[in-house]
Amino acid sequence: MKVDIQLDGRIEHSAERATELVALGADGLFTFEGPNDVFLPLALAAGAVRADLMTNIAVALPRSPIHLAHLAYDLQTLSQGRFRLGLGSQVRAHIEKRYGSAWSEPAARMREIVQATKAVFDAWEGHAPLRFQGRFSSHTLMPPMFDPGPNPYGPPEICLGALGPHMTRTAAEVADGLLVMPFNSARYFTERTLPTVADGLDRAGRTPADFRIYPQVIVGTGRTAAELDAAARGVRSLLAFYGSTPAYRPVLEVEGWAELQPELNRLSKLGAYPAMLDLIDDSMLTTLAVHGTPEQCAAEILRRFGAHADRVCCYFPGYPIADRHIADLIAALRAAE
């Protein structure tokens, strides 16, 4: 199984950190749209390493498909054909209150953004004139001055991050791949995600060969008791944050923990973060994330996703992880090939 590792840290260290992670064995690097721009670190990494690169995710709703197409094409060129454009919708509060953009029908909007971006790619590749007419945007003008022409490496994949049935089905219908949200469980993935993907592919007349699944996993790993305790605290913090958001309640419902979501939400509004962490018990920790030595974590990742995916994205949230543990995790996942 190939492994993608998050490229985080200070923006000015992106190239250096990318080099270190690839030296540890990472097949690919991905960025998260958090405190830094999601595209710029990958541009810096592209000049430093030969590795797969991906936005995971770029928030699509506030951006024009033209912006996304230009950024994706340039990164595809800089990385010599190793870029994947990972897109996501974010949640309403962020779209309206942080980005100052419109929120409505997120699955329908994401469908159209993927289709429009692909239409721009087709125009640049010379396959068809740009004649995209959508409900939310239209793109019908592409003068030669603004047309980069065919990409020497072909257009990049467009992947869509999704959790609920509408967005997951949309991904299967129009995108090249699904980014399985990291707040997840083996049961939710098996009982909800995979059947919805199959339904979406069937509706679009596609086959599994037309579509890739990229699981994302929250990993808490270490070897000593102190390292494992620190990893558990970091993972619990992220799980509590995700669990407080209504969009993630379906995962908790499948596992029988539906009542946890409104309580986490209530505590988050009070700023009672220690109390939120206390609600994430050991069972939740090992169901919604993976925790243990690098080898134990690798075995659990393979158990959950090995039959359905040939690469995985790994997060190490909220705790200092030794590079040697990242290398050991990658080696353990590779050993199963």
Side-chain angles (χ1 to χ4, degrees), residues 104-279:
S104 69
E105 302 178 73
R109 285 181 178 271
M110 290 302 298
R111 173 191 299 275
E112 192 169 293
I113 287 171
V114 172
Q115 291 173 327
T117 305
K118 287 190 172 187
V120 176
F121 288 166
D122 284 343
W124 290 347
E125 292 291 315
H127 299 322
L130 183 58
R131 295 287 186 271
F132 184 85
Q133 298 277 4
R135 289 177 54 206
F136 306 104
S137 69
S138 296
H139 308 276
T140 59
L141 179 66
M142 186 54 63
M145 179 182 295
F146 304 102
D147 186 339
N151 192 292
Y153 305 100
E157 285 185 14
I158 301 179
C159 302
L160 189 56
L163 180 72
H166 297 302
M167 197 70 76
T168 300
R169 189 176 297 111
T170 296
E173 289 178 357
V174 301
D176 300 305
L178 170 69
L179 299 174
V180 179
M181 297 301 289
F183 188 87
N184 215 304
S185 71
R187 184 175 179 184
Y188 186 88
F189 178 71
T190 301
E191 295 183 3
R192 300 287 181 89
T193 299
L194 291 178
T196 304
V197 166
D199 180 44
L201 292 174
D202 184 64
R203 291 185 185 203
R206 307 173 75 189
T207 69
D210 301 320
F211 194 70
R212 302 288 297 277
I213 293 177
Y214 298 109
Q216 304 177 76
V217 183
I218 300 169
V219 180
T221 192
R223 294 204 181 275
T224 68
E227 288 175 338
L228 289 169
D229 285 347
R233 287 194 299 272
V235 169
R236 281 189 170 93
S237 179
L238 183 58
L239 293 178
F241 168 76
Y242 275 131
S244 70
T245 306
Y248 294 100
R249 180 169 179 153
V251 177
L252 297 172
E253 288 177 341
V254 163
E255 298 295 340
W257 299 322
E259 73 285 351
L260 180 67
Q261 190 280 316
E263 179 60 10
L264 286 171
N265 185 265
R266 183 186 71 82
L267 291 171
S268 70
K269 292 177 180 177
L270 296 174
Y273 302 114
M276 292 173 66
L277 268 62
D278 289 342
L279 293 180

Side-chain angles (χ1 to χ4, degrees), residues 69-80:
H70 277 296
L71 287 163
Y73 242 48
D74 286 348
L75 281 167
Q76 179 77 333
T77 300
L78 288 173
S79 65
Q80 300 181 0

